């Protein structure tokens, strides 16, 4: 029984894998309880400061008294808190100021788009889970032991629920069909133009003339860059053969298009593409300095039609 349970558990997909409707799996790590607590604490501080400022303003203009200060403050905190969470997550696609600082966000649990209904529901449930019972717990005293104990038990249960599910979801997330993830860290790839083809002894340098570089635009350059970057990823024997065939076809197509007469040996094909990429990029950048933007290879026809 235990062995079968372990095998079934291993067979389950990782909680960090999100499958959107497009069918391409995304690896987005689940946000831990510590970073979520830090984001929540930041949001509480922000809303508390706003509520305190309003209370001070009401005291200054004599619209409240010290006797009603606590009740007015709690009401203002509620009236600020609820719209803040809902409006912030609606405006920033699942993020509040605290979540933005902690680099986490709310996503749909099924990988679909994040709906307004889900964001409103999860934040209203937060009131029922934590804030309202917590406020009640703070206002009760020794004269109401049953109510205090019930509020404490409810808040404790709500805080413990994320510990017992793989996606660290609270009740509001379960009802809204959401969970919280870490934002992926953007990686800035190195500039391919800085990787000039290394000269090989006995082989001549690959150079291109200006008229040979007038056939392509920025779109084709980006496509070639994608191809060159893909060469750094490992591939199996079948994939390697497919890559070599693709590179050969592209080299021959470029040679015919630009009128490059010299044949390119198989060993020099990647050198040829790298040299062409560098020369084409430099050529387009020089053209752009004079206001000549070439989006793709059809720019000449577009100029004639204009």
């Amino acid at each position: 029984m235990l062995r079968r349970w372990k095998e079934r558990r291993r067979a389950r997909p990782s909680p960090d894998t999100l499958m959107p409707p497009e069918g391409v799996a995304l690896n987005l790590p689940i946000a831990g309880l510590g970073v979520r607590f830090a984001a929540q604490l930041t949001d509480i501080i922000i809303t508390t400061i706003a509520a305190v400022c309003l209370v001070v303003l009401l005291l200054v203009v004599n619209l409240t008294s010290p006797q009603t200060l606590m009740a007015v403050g709690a009401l203002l905190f509620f009236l600020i808190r609820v719209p803040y969470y809902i409006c912030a997550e609606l405006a920033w696609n699942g993020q509040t100021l605290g979540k933005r600082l902690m680099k986490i966000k709310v996503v749909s649990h099924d990988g679909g788009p994040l709906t307004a209904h889900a964001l409103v529901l999860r934040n209203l449930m937060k009131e029922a889970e934590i804030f309202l019972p917590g406020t009640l717990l703070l206002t009760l005293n020794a004269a109401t032991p049953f109510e205090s104990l019930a509020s404490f038990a409810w808040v404790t249960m709500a805080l413990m629920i994320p510990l017992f599910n793989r996606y660290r979801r609270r009740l509001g997330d379960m009802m809204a069909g959401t969970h919280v993830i870490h934002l992926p860290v953007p990686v800035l790839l190195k500039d391919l133009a800085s990787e000039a083809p290394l000269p090989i002894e006995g082989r001549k340098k690959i150079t291109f003339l200006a008229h040979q570089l007038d056939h392509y635009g920025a779109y084709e350059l980006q496509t070639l860059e994608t191809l060159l970057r893909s060469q750094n990823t490992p591939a199996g024997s079948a994939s390697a053969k497919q890559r070599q065939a693709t590179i050969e076809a592209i080299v021959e197509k470029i040679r015919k298009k630009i009128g490059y007469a010299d044949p390119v040996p198989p060993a020099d094909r990647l050198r040829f593409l790298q040299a062409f990429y560098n020369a084409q990029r430099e050529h387009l950048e020089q053209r752009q300095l004079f206001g000549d933007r070439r989006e793709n290879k059809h720019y000449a026809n577009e100029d004639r039609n204009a």
Side-chain angles (χ1 to χ4, degrees):
M1 179 74 73
L2 182 60
R3 182 180 177 183
R4 191 181 307 164
W5 176 77
K6 288 182 177 179
E7 290 177 353
R8 198 181 308 126
R9 188 173 183 182
R10 279 195 295 266
R12 288 187 299 177
S14 169
D16 295 337
T17 301
L18 188 70
M19 183 63 72
E22 293 78 10
V24 179
L26 302 174
N27 188 36
L28 301 170
I30 299 296
L33 297 182
V35 70
R36 291 179 65 177
F37 176 77
Q40 189 68 255
L41 185 61
T42 303
D43 290 325
I44 290 174
I45 292 173
I46 291 171
T47 51
T48 300
I49 291 173
V52 169
C53 290
L54 283 178
V55 169
V56 171
L57 179 62
L58 292 177
L59 282 173
V60 170
V61 297
N62 292 323
L63 291 179
T64 186
S65 63
Q67 292 77 17
T68 61
L69 195 61
M70 184 65 70
V72 170
L75 179 61
L76 286 175
F77 184 45
F78 172 78
L79 293 177
I80 291 172
R81 183 178 68 237
V82 176
Y84 165 78
Y85 281 105
I86 294 175
C87 294
E89 290 191 356
L90 286 173
W92 289 322
N93 192 29
Q95 287 186 292
T96 59
L97 286 173
K99 288 186 177 69
R100 288 172 73 89
L101 288 173
M102 297 298 117
K103 293 180 172 49
I104 60 177
K105 77 182 297 280
V106 181
V107 296
S108 178
H109 189 60
D110 61 3
L114 196 59
T115 64
H117 174 268
L119 292 176
V120 171
L121 178 58
R122 75 181 302 274
N123 283 297
L124 289 180
M125 276 301 299
K126 187 185 296 182
E127 295 296 319
E129 290 176 65
I130 305 296
F131 285 117
L132 293 181
T135 303
L136 180 63
L137 182 62
L138 292 175
T139 57
L140 296 176
N141 51 45
T144 55
F146 177 77
E147 290 83 352
S148 299
L149 184 61
S151 299
F152 178 76
W154 177 267
V155 172
T156 302
M157 180 200 67
L159 292 175
M160 293 291 289
I161 285 176
L163 295 175
F164 295 99
N165 64 82
R166 304 169 70 219
Y167 294 92
R168 298 293 180 256
R169 301 206 292 172
R170 56 181 180 80
L171 283 174
D173 286 316
M174 294 178 185
M175 295 181 66
T178 58
H179 66 263
V180 184
I181 62 163
H182 285 282
L183 286 174
V185 179
V187 178
L188 185 62
L189 299 175
K190 59 183 178 181
D191 191 356
L192 279 181
S194 64
E195 300 179 8
L198 296 175
I200 301 177
E201 189 176 352
R203 298 181 188 175
K204 66 177 183 177
K205 184 180 178 181
I206 302 174
T207 57
F208 301 92
L209 302 177
H211 73 274
Q212 293 176 320
L213 300 172
D214 275 334
H215 295 276
Y216 291 109
Y219 174 77
E220 289 76 21
L221 187 69
Q222 291 171 0
T223 305
L224 180 56
E225 179 179 346
T226 303
L227 173 71
L228 291 172
R229 289 193 188 280
S230 69
Q231 303 308 308
N232 297 325
T233 58
S237 57
S239 299
K241 290 180 181 178
Q242 181 64 37
R243 280 185 182 180
Q244 293 302 321
T246 302
I247 291 172
E248 180 182 3
I250 292 174
V251 168
E252 292 305 312
K253 186 173 182 179
I254 291 176
R255 284 185 60 240
K256 292 178 182 177
K257 180 77 173 180
I258 68 175
Y260 190 87
D262 296 337
V264 180
D268 286 347
R269 284 169 185 159
L270 274 178
R271 283 184 63 237
F272 175 86
L273 292 178
Q274 181 70 61
F276 182 73
Y277 171 85
N278 292 348
Q280 184 72 61
R281 175 169 167 172
E282 183 180 359
H283 181 71
L284 291 176
E285 288 174 350
Q286 288 177 350
R287 288 285 189 180
Q288 191 170 350
L289 288 176
F290 296 98
D292 183 7
R293 292 182 60 88
R294 300 187 171 189
E295 298 295 338
N296 52 50
K297 64 184 179 182
H298 305 294
Y299 68 91
N301 295 333
E302 293 171 0
D303 290 342
R304 281 196 294 269
N305 292 335

